[in-house]
Amino acid sequence: MTGRNILVLGGAHVDRRGRIHGETAPGASNPGNWFVEAGGGAFNAARNLSRLGHAVRLIAPRGGDSDGELVAAAALAAGVEDMPFIFLDRATPSYTAIIERDGNLVIALADMELYRLFSPRRLQQRAVRDAIACADALVTDANLPEETVTAIAYAARSAGKPVCGIAISPAKVIRFQNALPALTCLFMNEAEARALAATRPDDPWQWPDLLRRAGLSSGVVTRGRDAVIAFDATGVAMLAPPLLEALGDVTGAGDALASGFLSARLDGQPLATALRQGVAAALIAVRSPLAVAEELEPDLLARVMGLVSEAEVLS
């Protein structure tokens, strides 16, 4: 695995997760506990990519508060070069989720208003232009405004750099619509794919055709415990993740998959191998109580890939 310079622009905020101890009782008080850590799709990917040996720079807005300090400390701990836009009079964005005992999401609330201040004009700043010029690849997420993710995607394409997107949610993935022709790859779950394609297939093998019609040349669609689908100009690959007896927490699993997949692609690996590495990275993530597994590193990823079957390929 060869380390690359990767620029990540997008969400870096505070995750607050409440985990229910017993069976979930909707509409009632549920015993449980809270856990607070830094999060955000782009930031999770940045930390994973750094742990996989890449030189990662992060550009994200945050407030001048203790939550912002928590994000800065997490970037430092993961070896990510932090280049924030700091708004001293604003609160750092946050994501609050309720998790069931088995690790699945019940409901979440996202307070992300600060990201609206990351406008396309920010990309014209000298430090940002230099960071784009120095990068081998870019990653962004749909926490940013539609016009900003579009500007990032086309700035990357103009510079001849691959740029990947992380969908974040069904409500936010549509912010990528105008950027789709410029994206190298988009990572999404099935609900996000439905929102983007404005339809759902009768057969999961149909996802690539539907998303290509929407304007996307390459993408990865996760489907929970069901098979993950990846496609590009060379074909389609599908891989069923190994069953796990217990989940630590599904938070960050999709971001880990994106990181493992992108790392393999930057290393010149074919679609099926990249999908296998992405699934291995996700397995490491879901067995950890953290959004970004602290034990993630290239040797562990290689060992876990041994637990993942070969992808089924349709050329």
Side-chain angles (χ1 to χ4, degrees), residues 62-70 87-88 90-92:
R62 74 184 60 135
D65 53 13
S66 59
D67 283 349
E69 293 173 359
L70 187 151
F87 299 85
L88 295 176
R90 305 282 183 138
T92 297

Side-chain angles (χ1 to χ4, degrees), residues 241-267:
L243 293 177
L244 297 178
E245 294 182 1
L247 301 179
D249 193 332
V250 297
T251 304
D255 307 325
L257 188 148
S259 304
F261 183 96
L262 174 58
S263 187
R265 292 299 261 176
L266 290 174
D267 211 27

Side-chain angles (χ1 to χ4, degrees), residues 36 105 222 257:
V36 179
L105 179 68
T222 61
L257 188 148

Side-chain angles (χ1 to χ4, degrees), residues 110-256:
D111 179 3
M112 306 289 174
E113 283 300 302
L114 185 62
Y115 292 136
R116 295 173 59 188
L117 299 182
F118 194 149
S119 69
R121 291 178 57 192
R122 297 272 176 181
L123 303 179
Q124 301 306 314
Q125 294 184 6
R126 178 63 179 272
V128 179
R129 288 189 285 113
D130 288 347
I132 293 174
C134 292
D136 295 313
L138 283 75
V139 177
T140 188
D141 70 15
N143 280 311
L144 301 184
E146 178 180 357
E147 60 272 19
T148 305
V149 296
T150 301
I152 290 169
Y154 281 95
R157 189 170 79 166
S158 296
K161 319 277 186 173
V163 55
C164 297
I166 297 175
I168 299 300
S169 74
K172 291 181 178 180
V173 69
I174 58 174
R175 296 176 183 175
F176 277 113
Q177 282 181 325
N178 292 330
L180 294 181
L183 284 182
T184 306
C185 186
L186 179 63
F187 299 93
M188 69 207 99
N189 61 32
E190 207 161 28
E192 293 155 354
R194 284 197 298 269
L196 195 61
T199 187
R200 62 186 303 168
D202 296 323
D203 185 318
W205 280 108
Q206 296 173 336
W207 271 126
D209 286 340
L210 292 175
L211 292 167
R212 284 171 178 145
R213 288 175 202 162
L216 185 64
S217 62
S218 177
V220 178
V221 181
T222 61
R223 304 169 57 239
R225 295 179 183 271
D226 294 325
V228 185
I229 300 164
F231 68 95
D232 65 7
T234 68
V236 180
M238 181 181 288
L239 195 160
L243 293 177
L244 297 178
E245 294 182 1
L247 301 179
D249 193 332
V250 297
T251 304
D255 307 325

